[in-house]
Amino acid sequence: MRSRKGDTTHFPMGRSLLDKVWELHSVRPLDSGQTQLFIGLHLIHEVTSPQAFAMLREAGLPVAFPERTFATVDHIIPTTSQARPLADPQAETMMSALEKSCREHGIRFFGPETGHQGIVHVIGPELGLTQPGMTIACGDSHTSTHGAFGALALGIGTSQVRDVLASQCLAIDRPRARRIEVTGKLRPGVYAKDVILHIIRRLGVKGGVGFAYEYAGPVFAAMSMEERMTVCNMSIEGGARLGYVNPDATTIEYLRGREFAPTGDAFERASRWWLSIASDPDATYDDVVTIDAAAIGPTVTWGINPGQAIGVDEAVPSPGAFPGDERPTVVDAYEYMGWHEGDRIAGTRIDVAFIGSCTNGRLSDLREAARIAERGKVRSGVRALVVPGSQEVARAAEAEGLDRVFREAGFEWRLPGCSMCLAMNPDKLKGREICASSSNRNFKGRQGSPAGRTLLMSPAMVAAAAIRGEVTDVRELIGGDRHVRELSGGDRG
Ligand code: SF4
C-alpha cells in the first residue's frame, strides 16, 4: 500500500492515475457494461446548454449540484464589442437564455461584467476550478484540456449535459490507457503545439479511439501548465477520449493562490493528495508509445484534419505515398487545399493569421507570439487577429504591454472568446482564404467560410507567417539558438 504522510486515500501500487480517479468516482457498474461516473465539476457554455436546460424543465428536474456547475459565454460572443444587446440577435438570445438558466438554477455565471469571462477551458484552470483527481465534464470536445492537471476531463454531448445537470453523473465506457512518452529535450523553436501535432501525425486521428492518453516523460515534465494544456487540449483530435499529465510540483505551484483552490492547511493537504493520485512507477498500460523529442520540428497541417501534418521544412506528401485506404481522404484534402505534387508547405501564402483559442490563447502563447511580432510588421494584405483566451489573459497581457506590441506590428487586439476557431461569431474567413491558425481543427469550413482553408501551427509560427505573409520556419526569426523556455522565461501564467 502506498502511504504518504497526510494522505487520506491509499491505493494499491501498480495503478495509473486513470485507474485511481476512475475508481474513486465510480458510482456503480451499469448493465450496459458502462460505468455510472460521478462528475466533480461541470462547466457549461451558451451553445450546448440551452437544449439541456429545456429538457430539464420539461422533466421538471432541478440541477442536482449547482455549486459544482459553472458557466461562461465564449463561442458566440463578438470580439469587437460585447455591449448588450449583442449586435447579432441570435447570439443575444443564446447569451440571455444562459443567463436566465443560471439565475433560475443558482449557477455561477462568468459573464463579461465579472472580469472572468473567457473560453471555458481557459477560465476553469485560471480560476483554480480545475484540480487534480477530479472528473470534469463540459459540452465541448476540447474539455480534454483540463487533463493537464491530472483530471479525467470529458467532452460530452447535449443529452449528456442534461444528464450531468440532473444527476451529476454520466454513463460512460471506461477507456483503455496508453502512455505516450516523449523522451529527450525539445529543439529550439519547437513548442507544445508541435509536440501534439507530431503525436497526432504519428498515431493518426483515429489512433486514440477507446484510449485515455497519459503524457509522460521528460518533455512533459519540463513543460509549464499552459504548455501541458495545449497538449491535452488536442487529445481529442487524436481520437482519444481524454488525455492527462500526472500532477507534480508544477501543477501545485500553478494552483497555489487561485480563487477556487483550497487555501492554507487545506491547500497543503490537497497537494499531498494530488501527488498521491499520480500514476505509480510500476503502473501498467494497455499500450506504450515512445517518441524522441529530437524528431519533432515546427509542425504545420497541410490537410483537412489535424493528423495531416508535416514539418515546416517538408514537402506536402504525395497521395501516392499513403496506403490505399487513406488515399481517398488524402486526395480530398489535396483538392480542397489546392496542392500540386511537390509543393512545399513553407512559402505558402496566407490571407489571415489567427492567434487565440482554447489551445493557444493563454498568456505564454501571446508572449511567444509577441516576441516574433516585435521583429516586424504584418505583411500588407494579411488580416491578423490576436484574441486572448479570457479577460484575465487580456489583463495580464495588457499589463505587460503585449497588446501594444501586437498593435504596433499591425495585428488587431480583440476581446476574449473563441472567435475564428469555430467562427460562431462574426470573425470568419471569406471565400478560399488561407488562415495560419493557432487553433485545433482544420476541418473543411471550420473557420466560417465553406471554402476557407486552415493551416494549424504554434502561435509563434502564426506570428511569423503574419509578418512574412507566408508559412515560415519560426527558427529563421528566432535564430534557432534559444529554447522556447528560455524565450518565455518559464511559466508565469
Ligand atoms: S476555442 Fe474552439 S475548440 Fe476551444 S472551446 Fe472555443 S470553439 Fe471549442
Side-chain angles (χ1 to χ4, degrees):
M1 295 284 278
R2 161 167 294 203
S3 177
R4 280 202 182 99
K5 196 174 168 219
D7 282 355
T8 52
T9 310
H10 300 277
F11 299 106
M13 288 297 280
R15 311 184 74 220
S16 68
L17 180 143
L18 172 67
D19 295 329
K20 298 177 192 182
V21 179
W22 193 271
E23 180 187 300
L24 285 170
H25 292 82
S26 292
V27 178
R28 63 186 171 119
L30 299 171
D31 292 343
S32 63
Q34 294 182 302
T35 303
Q36 182 183 352
L37 195 71
F38 186 79
I39 299 300
L41 174 66
H42 190 197
L43 300 168
I44 60 174
H45 60 85
E46 75 283 11
V47 177
T48 47
S49 65
Q51 282 169 288
F53 278 116
M55 290 187 259
L56 217 61
R57 272 182 210 113
E58 262 173 43
L61 292 169
V63 172
F65 287 85
E67 71 278 16
R68 289 182 178 272
T69 313
F70 296 86
T72 191
V73 57
D74 50 12
H75 286 64
I76 54 89
I77 198 153
T79 58
T80 45
S81 166
Q82 296 174 351
R84 305 292 294 274
L86 300 176
D88 175 358
Q90 198 185 349
E92 176 58 34
T93 302
M94 290 170 88
M95 185 164 165
S96 300
L98 180 59
E99 287 170 320
K100 180 168 174 283
S101 296
C102 287
R103 269 197 310 274
E104 273 177 24
H105 294 281
I107 293 168
R108 183 116 175 230
F109 174 61
F110 295 111
E113 68 290 348
T114 64
H116 292 304
Q117 175 265 334
I119 305 172
V120 65
H121 311 311
V122 176
I123 70 162
E126 73 187 9
L127 286 166
L129 288 165
T130 302
Q131 295 172 16
M134 277 185 167
T135 46
I136 300 176
C138 175
D140 185 275
S141 310
H142 296 86
T143 306
S144 54
T145 310
H146 306 262
F149 291 78
L152 302 184
L154 299 151
I156 56 176
T158 295
S159 58
Q160 291 173 307
V161 173
R162 171 205 59 196
D163 294 347
V164 179
L165 287 172
S167 68
Q168 204 64 25
C169 290
L170 270 179
I172 188 165
D173 292 315
R174 189 192 191 288
R176 290 176 293 155
R178 172 179 288 150
R179 181 175 164 98
I180 301 178
E181 287 186 17
V182 180
T183 57
K185 193 176 172 194
L186 294 178
R187 292 184 292 161
V190 180
Y191 298 81
K193 182 65 157 287
D194 302 307
V195 175
I196 188 61
L197 285 174
H198 183 91
I199 289 171
I200 300 169
R201 173 190 184 181
R202 177 153 159 203
L203 300 180
V205 290
K206 294 183 184 159
V209 171
F211 280 101
Y213 280 176
E214 175 177 303
Y215 301 103
V219 164
F220 301 114
M223 281 185 179
S224 70
M225 289 311 296
E226 298 197 351
E227 291 171 311
R228 294 177 187 180
M229 283 188 248
T230 297
V231 171
C232 289
N233 173 277
M234 290 190 70
S235 306
I236 192 81
E237 303 306 330
R241 191 69 184 84
L242 56 94
Y244 65 85
V245 177
N246 284 304
D248 61 8
T250 304
T251 320
I252 289 167
E253 287 318 305
Y254 178 96
L255 284 167
R256 193 184 296 280
R258 302 225 169 232
E259 186 172 339
F260 286 86
T263 55
D265 287 349
F267 185 84
E268 301 312 321
R269 277 197 304 279
S271 298
R272 288 193 290 273
W273 186 76
W274 293 338
L275 293 175
S276 81
I277 52 107
S279 297
D280 299 321
D282 58 346
T284 53
Y285 299 88
D286 298 290
D287 190 32
V288 176
V289 173
T290 304
I291 293 172
D292 179 2
I296 307 174
T299 303
V300 183
T301 59
W302 59 268
I304 51 174
N305 70 52
Q308 292 176 328
I310 49 176
V312 68
D313 49 4
E314 294 179 51
V316 176
S318 160
F322 290 83
D325 57 335
E326 284 182 35
R327 218 165 287 156
T329 316
V330 174
V331 169
D332 187 21
Y334 234 71
E335 285 172 4
Y336 183 81
M337 298 299 288
W339 298 117
H340 299 99
E341 291 268 348
D343 281 349
R344 302 196 73 80
I345 196 83
T348 303
R349 301 302 298 255
I350 65 153
D351 306 291
V352 177
F354 171 63
I355 297 170
S357 86
C358 59
T359 314
N360 281 128
R362 297 182 178 80
L363 184 59
S364 57
D365 300 313
L366 304 191
R367 282 183 185 142
E368 296 300 332
R371 281 170 205 275
I372 304 301
E374 68 188 359
R375 292 163 194 246
K377 300 276 182 215
V378 171
R379 183 81 172 210
S380 171
V382 173
R383 190 157 51 106
L385 273 64
V386 182
V387 186
S390 71
Q391 291 179 317
E392 190 171 320
V393 170
R395 275 193 301 277
E398 287 165 9
E400 292 184 14
L402 301 185
D403 58 323
R404 185 175 41 75
V405 170
F406 284 119
R407 282 198 179 102
E408 285 176 2
F411 289 80
E412 296 176 43
W413 178 255
R414 296 290 190 85
L415 297 168
C418 296
S419 180
M420 206 179 268
C421 172
L422 183 59
M424 284 188 80
N425 75 349
D427 306 336
K428 299 181 195 301
L429 295 186
K430 297 173 198 145
R432 275 178 64 70
E433 280 184 332
I434 297 182
C435 180
S437 179
S438 72
S439 54
N440 47 47
R441 282 188 170 162
N442 52 341
F443 300 163
K444 289 180 180 176
R446 169 77 176 180
Q447 293 190 287
S449 162
R453 293 170 285 175
T454 302
L455 307 175
L456 301 177
M457 60 189 82
S458 72
M461 285 278 288
V462 176
I467 288 170
R468 294 268 181 93
E470 60 186 34
V471 175
T472 299
D473 188 336
V474 71
R475 293 172 295 193
E476 293 170 17
L477 288 164
I478 62 171
D481 57 353
R482 286 185 294 166
H483 184 264
V484 55
R485 191 164 307 284
E486 289 152 357
L487 281 167
S488 68
D491 182 21
R492 288 163 291 187

